[in-house]
């Protein structure tokens, strides 16, 4: 069987409201280099022939171009426009793919510490099973918010979900053609809602999503000590 071609959609069109800054977090420097460049480089370095689609807000197109010049960043990417939701951003990225016999990884631009191993595992799992969702065990105790307070939940029954989430293009395209639902916070929720089975693989604790300012400091610490 011929190997399927590979795509990575890097979603970086969010506003980063929890990061509390005017400049969206994905453009922030991490040891001098914008966070987003780490995420793109990880895929390119893992599979030099991968097709990368970068989803950003058109408002930041010029800014991104300037950053690329400044950092001599010349990994080829196709740019798609982001939407108001992550769902819409992914959908816009997908619209640039015409090779229906391909595998597509979707990765949060705000996860710069993604390892080669995870990227490889993701594509291998998706090649065999049609989908690949990285999960890690929860470390904190968990409580559910209820009408009159909160209630303990069995942590062992829960998993935290990361990216890259990788799928057969046709599964992804069909799922993203269905209407948006509020509970879609990642791709697995969209694909599962469309009726497909989800296959999990092991994520990594260091693959944090830069969400709050402290996460940037943790990522910096990690890079300085790896
Ligand atoms: N994202 C996107 N388009 C959106 C919303 C989010 O491309 N409309 C991207 C973000 O840029 C990020 C990833 O999806 O790389 C995960 O989203 P999240 O961490 O929630 O980022 P933001 O939505 O930017 O942050 P916040 O929720 O704090 O506003
Ligand atoms: Mg968000």
């Amino acid at each position: 069987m011929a190997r399927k071609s590979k795509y990575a959609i890097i979603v970086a069109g969010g506003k980063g409201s929890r990061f509390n800054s005017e400049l969206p977090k994905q453009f922030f420097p991490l040891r001098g280099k914008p966070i987003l460049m780490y995420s793109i480089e990880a895929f390119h370095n893992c599979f030099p022939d991968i097709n990368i689609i970068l989803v950003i807000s058109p408002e930041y197109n010029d800014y991104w171009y300037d950053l690329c010049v400044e950092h001599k960043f010349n990994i080829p990417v196709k740019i798609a426009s982001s939407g108001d939701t992550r769902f819409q951003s992914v959908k816009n990225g997908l619209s640039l793919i015409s090779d229906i016999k391909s595998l597509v990884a979707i990765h949060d631009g705000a996860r710069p510490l993604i390892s080669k191993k995870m990227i490889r595992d993701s594509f291998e799992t998706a090649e065999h099973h049609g989908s690949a969702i990285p999960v890690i065990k929860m470390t904190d105790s968990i409580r559910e918010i209820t009408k009159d307070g909160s209630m303990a939940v069995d942590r062992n029954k829960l998993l935290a979900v990361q990216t890259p989430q990788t799928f057969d293009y046709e599964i992804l395209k069909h799922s993203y053609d269905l209407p948006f639902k509020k509970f879609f916070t990642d791709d697995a929720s969209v694909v599962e809602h469309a009726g497909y089975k989800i296959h999990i693989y092991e994520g990594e604790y260091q693959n944090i999503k830069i969400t709050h300012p402290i996460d940037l400091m943790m990522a910096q610490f990690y890079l300085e000590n790896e």
Side-chain angles (χ1 to χ4, degrees), residues 11-18 25 83-86 89 108-110 209:
V11 282
K15 292 189 166 59
S17 48
R18 288 169 288 180
K25 60 191 181 184
D84 287 343
T85 56
R86 187 184 181 282
S89 292
D108 294 330
K209 185 172 64 154

Side-chain angles (χ1 to χ4, degrees), residues 18-81:
R18 288 169 288 180
F19 198 77
N20 255 326
S21 104
E22 185 64 30
L23 181 70
K25 60 191 181 184
Q26 55 271 28
F27 300 117
F28 257 69
L30 170 58
R31 299 190 85 199
K33 184 165 71 181
I35 288 174
L36 187 49
M37 289 184 183
Y38 286 85
S39 312
I40 297 171
E41 268 170 8
F43 282 85
H44 177 76
N45 292 343
C46 189
F47 296 117
D49 60 342
I50 197 168
N51 304 287
I52 299 178
I53 295 171
L54 172 62
V55 187
I56 54 173
S57 161
E59 224 182 296
Y60 286 97
N61 269 346
D62 290 348
Y63 182 72
W64 172 247
Y65 179 79
D66 290 346
L67 281 179
C68 290
V69 173
E70 183 187 335
H71 293 270
K72 300 189 173 54
F73 187 80
N74 49 23
I75 295 175
V77 301
K78 276 192 181 166
I79 305 264
S81 297

Side-chain angles (χ1 to χ4, degrees), residues 84-193:
D84 287 343
T85 56
R86 187 184 181 282
F87 176 89
Q88 191 58 50
S89 292
V90 172
K91 199 171 161 135
N92 294 353
L94 269 177
S95 72
L96 296 191
I97 301 178
S98 51
D99 181 359
I100 63 166
K101 296 287 171 210
S102 56
L103 293 171
V104 184
I106 302 171
H107 185 61
D108 294 330
R111 289 186 194 266
L113 302 183
I114 178 66
S115 69
K116 268 191 185 171
K117 179 182 186 305
M118 266 189 78
I119 296 175
R120 259 190 257 114
D121 287 354
S122 184
F123 277 100
E124 265 168 33
T125 307
E127 186 149 34
H128 288 111
H129 302 288
S131 68
I133 313 303
V135 294
I136 52 171
K137 290 190 176 139
M138 310 284 296
T139 49
D140 289 325
S141 291
I142 306 291
R143 299 187 71 79
E144 185 181 342
I145 301 165
T146 58
K147 256 196 296 190
D148 38 3
S150 68
M151 198 180 80
V153 174
D154 182 359
R155 181 174 64 198
N156 294 318
K157 286 189 177 160
L158 299 174
L159 295 166
V161 183
Q162 304 182 332
T163 73
Q165 300 187 5
T166 304
F167 306 87
D168 229 64
Y169 169 80
E170 285 167 299
I171 291 177
L172 206 51
K173 180 73 172 74
H174 173 236
S175 307
Y176 270 89
D177 276 342
L178 300 173
F180 173 72
K181 300 270 184 238
K182 260 202 162 143
F183 63 85
F184 289 162
T185 52
D186 69 344
D187 312 293
S189 50
V190 178
V191 168
E192 190 170 56
H193 185 68

